[in-house]
Amino acid sequence: MKKTAIFPGSFDPITKGHESIVLRALDLFDEIVIAIGVNERKTSFFPLEKRKAWIEDVFRSKPNVSVITYEGLTVDLCRKLEVNFILRGLRTSADFEFERSIGQMNKKMLPGIETVFLLTTPEYTALNSYIVRDIIRHGGDASPFIPDAVTL
Ligand code: ADP
């Protein structure tokens, strides 16, 4: 059976850390669906369409990576798409605590789901979208931290 994973997040914007997780996970899964969560109560820095287009650019050469947007619970998306795996990246112990509760709650809501964590590679441990947004907001050069295919 084909193994598909959903990689949920806000990707505001996609960073080299996200790119690395997806590329490495392609050794584990046949297909990866990058799912940009839309939360009406949270305002994003970059518009949804831009975030989606950037991710499409990054994985243009990978036909088994797709990008969608979704509202609501990730487990409901998994049910709808009939996907059994959620992919997440782990950088720090703070990530672990955060992910543990989400992963365990998701498992309670949808017992068939497994969350698969990949440890970040050391060079991307300090990298997050928040810092990248801050660099951009203050006119700094964020290009070392975002995938080469992304032109801001
Ligand atoms: P969230 O919206 O939950 O903060 P993000 O959109 O920033 O999540 O990221 C989605 C996923 O990518 C999360 O699992 C997060 O841990 C992972 N991730 C983000 N940055 C990195 C990185 N530098 N290295 C590895 N994983 C990362």
Side-chain angles (χ1 to χ4, degrees):
M1 211 179 85
K2 206 166 71 169
K3 280 197 167 61
T4 303
I6 284 176
F7 185 39
S10 38
F11 306 100
D12 190 21
I14 183 169
T15 68
K16 284 192 174 173
H18 297 124
E19 181 187 30
S20 156
I21 294 289
V22 172
L23 293 177
R24 288 167 55 210
L26 282 173
D27 287 338
L28 302 173
F29 298 104
D30 302 301
E31 232 177 83
I32 294 174
V33 179
I34 300 174
I36 309 176
V38 182
N39 183 343
E40 273 171 15
R41 279 176 304 161
K42 264 205 215 158
T43 42
S44 64
F45 187 70
F46 290 108
L48 183 60
E49 282 316 311
K50 206 160 200 178
R51 283 181 277 153
K52 185 165 181 274
W54 280 330
I55 300 173
E56 283 163 352
D57 287 343
V58 172
F59 297 105
R60 200 162 292 286
S61 66
K62 306 277 181 206
N64 48 351
V65 177
S66 55
V67 193
I68 59 168
T69 62
Y70 75 106
E71 275 178 69
L73 297 175
T74 306
V75 285
D76 287 338
L77 179 70
C78 292
R79 260 193 212 104
K80 190 172 117 194
L81 301 182
E82 297 183 351
V83 166
N84 296 323
F85 299 99
I86 295 174
L87 172 68
R88 298 287 287 177
L90 279 185
R91 287 161 290 191
T92 59
S93 54
D95 268 0
F96 172 76
E97 278 308 323
F98 178 73
E99 295 292 342
R100 184 179 57 82
S101 58
I102 295 179
Q104 289 177 336
M105 289 305 285
N106 283 340
K107 185 88 179 155
K108 273 260 180 239
M109 290 187 281
L110 186 59
I113 207 80
E114 291 296 350
T115 306
V116 175
F117 299 101
L118 289 188
L119 278 183
T120 183
T121 49
E123 68 270 33
Y124 298 137
T125 297
L127 181 53
N128 63 56
S129 295
Y130 176 79
I131 291 175
V132 170
R133 290 198 295 275
D134 233 29
I135 294 171
I136 294 166
R137 197 179 282 124
H138 295 103
D141 177 15
S143 61
F145 312 116
I146 55 176
D148 296 338
V150 173
T151 37
L152 292 171

